[in-house]
Amino acid sequence: MATIHPTAIVDPQAKLDGDVTVGPYAIIGPHVTIGAGSDVQAHAFISGHTTIGQRCQIFPFACVGMKTQDLKYKAGDITYAEIGDETVLREFSTVHLGTKPGEVTRVGQRCLVMAYCHIAHGCNVGNDVIMSNLATLAGEVTIEDHAVLGGMAGVHQFCRVGTFAMIGGATKIRQDCPPYMVVDMAGEGPRVAGPNVVGLQRAGFPAEVRSALKEAFKLIYREGLNRTQALERIKYEVVDLPEVRRLVEFYQKSQRGVH
C-alpha cells in the first residue's frame, strides 16, 4: 500500500502503486495513475487524466495535469498528460494537459525538468532531455532525445529541437533547431554556432562522427550556399553516416524553417 502522509489529499479513485510515497499536503486527483517507486513530495499537485511512470520524483509545488492555457480548449473535452519513468520534475515546474480531445502532452523517460520550467499543451518531449531553470515550451513543441535547453530559453509553438541539440540560456527559439548543434543568441536573434562538441563527446560519439558533422555545418552555414545547394553537396562531400543523414533529413522535413 502506498505511503501517504495524513495531510495529503488523494482521491480514492486515483491509482497509486503500493511503492509510491506521497508527502505532506500533496494533492492527487481522481484520474491520476502513478507507477512504482515514484515520490510525490510536499505540496505537489497532480490532476487531470495524468499518468506518472515508475521511479519519478515530483518536487514541492510542481503542477502536473493542469488544464491547458490554450483558449481553444472546450470544457468537458478529455485530454492527457504522461510522464515517463525516472523523470524528475523540480520545484514549481508545470506540465499541462492537451487541448484537442484525446491530445497528450508527453514527457519521456529520465528527463530532468528543473525549477519553474513550463511544458505546454501537446508538447512531445523525448527521453533524456534536460530543461534548465525557467526554460519554457509553448504548445505543440517537439524536443527530441538528449536535447538540452539552457535556463530561460523559450521555444515558440510548433518548433522542433533536434536530438543532442544544445540551446543556450535565454535564447528565443522561433524556428527549428538542428540536431547535434548548438543554438545561441547572437545580437538580436539566435544562430547556429556549430556542432555540440562537448555534448557529443560526453555521449560517446566517435571523432569520425564529430568531424563529419563539423563539415556539414560548414557547408550549410559558412560557404554562402543556399540550403538546397548545401544539402546536395553534403551528400557527395561528407562521409555518409547515420548522424549526417539525420541532420539532412531534419532540414528537409522542417515545416517552420531551421535557424
Side-chain angles (χ1 to χ4, degrees), residues 52 55 69 75 89 103 208:
I52 307 288
R55 299 177 299 282
Q69 296 177 127
L89 301 179
E103 185 177 56
E208 180 187 31

mmCIF file of all heavy atoms in Angstrom, residues 52 55 69 75 89 103 208:
data_model
loop_
_atom_site.group_PDB
_atom_site.id
_atom_site.type_symbol
_atom_site.label_atom_id
_atom_site.label_comp_id
_atom_site.label_asym_id
_atom_site.label_seq_id
_atom_site.Cartn_x
_atom_site.Cartn_y
_atom_site.Cartn_z
ATOM 1 N N ILE A 52 1.846 9.032 -14.342
ATOM 2 C CA ILE A 52 3.230 9.223 -13.901
ATOM 3 C C ILE A 52 3.898 7.848 -13.907
ATOM 4 O O ILE A 52 3.363 6.887 -13.354
ATOM 5 C CB ILE A 52 3.301 9.818 -12.478
ATOM 6 C CG1 ILE A 52 2.462 11.101 -12.372
ATOM 7 C CG2 ILE A 52 4.743 10.043 -12.065
ATOM 8 C CD1 ILE A 52 3.019 12.285 -13.066
ATOM 9 N N ARG A 55 9.406 5.310 -10.578
ATOM 10 C CA ARG A 55 10.622 5.931 -10.009
ATOM 11 C C ARG A 55 10.776 7.398 -10.418
ATOM 12 O O ARG A 55 11.882 7.901 -10.590
ATOM 13 C CB ARG A 55 11.875 5.124 -10.395
ATOM 14 C CG ARG A 55 11.837 3.689 -9.874
ATOM 15 C CD ARG A 55 13.045 2.894 -10.342
ATOM 16 N NE ARG A 55 13.109 2.808 -11.798
ATOM 17 C CZ ARG A 55 12.368 1.985 -12.535
ATOM 18 N NH1 ARG A 55 11.488 1.176 -11.948
ATOM 19 N NH2 ARG A 55 12.489 1.954 -13.845
ATOM 20 N N GLN A 69 -3.651 26.109 -20.978
ATOM 21 C CA GLN A 69 -3.886 27.554 -21.055
ATOM 22 C C GLN A 69 -4.369 27.982 -22.438
ATOM 23 O O GLN A 69 -4.616 29.170 -22.674
ATOM 24 C CB GLN A 69 -2.586 28.308 -20.713
ATOM 25 C CG GLN A 69 -2.135 28.071 -19.283
ATOM 26 C CD GLN A 69 -0.813 28.746 -18.960
ATOM 27 O OE1 GLN A 69 -0.714 29.488 -17.986
ATOM 28 N NE2 GLN A 69 0.209 28.480 -19.750
ATOM 29 N N ALA A 75 -14.611 23.088 -22.607
ATOM 30 C CA ALA A 75 -14.918 22.447 -21.329
ATOM 31 C C ALA A 75 -15.545 21.070 -21.549
ATOM 32 O O ALA A 75 -16.436 20.907 -22.383
ATOM 33 C CB ALA A 75 -15.860 23.330 -20.522
ATOM 34 N N LEU A 89 10.713 16.153 -11.951
ATOM 35 C CA LEU A 89 10.086 17.462 -12.127
ATOM 36 C C LEU A 89 10.385 18.281 -10.868
ATOM 37 O O LEU A 89 9.886 17.981 -9.789
ATOM 38 C CB LEU A 89 8.576 17.322 -12.323
ATOM 39 C CG LEU A 89 8.117 16.483 -13.523
ATOM 40 C CD1 LEU A 89 6.594 16.411 -13.566
ATOM 41 C CD2 LEU A 89 8.649 17.056 -14.826
ATOM 42 N N GLU A 103 -5.800 14.672 -27.035
ATOM 43 C CA GLU A 103 -4.414 15.097 -27.185
ATOM 44 C C GLU A 103 -3.619 14.831 -25.907
ATOM 45 O O GLU A 103 -4.125 14.994 -24.800
ATOM 46 C CB GLU A 103 -4.337 16.580 -27.528
ATOM 47 C CG GLU A 103 -2.927 17.060 -27.805
ATOM 48 C CD GLU A 103 -2.875 18.518 -28.224
ATOM 49 O OE1 GLU A 103 -3.379 19.375 -27.457
ATOM 50 O OE2 GLU A 103 -2.361 18.793 -29.317
ATOM 51 N N GLU A 208 35.076 10.474 -35.825
ATOM 52 C CA GLU A 208 34.634 10.481 -37.221
ATOM 53 C C GLU A 208 33.277 11.162 -37.367
ATOM 54 O O GLU A 208 33.051 11.943 -38.306
ATOM 55 C CB GLU A 208 34.540 9.044 -37.750
ATOM 56 C CG GLU A 208 34.082 8.951 -39.199
ATOM 57 C CD GLU A 208 33.830 7.521 -39.635
ATOM 58 O OE1 GLU A 208 33.427 6.703 -38.777
ATOM 59 O OE2 GLU A 208 34.018 7.232 -40.832
#
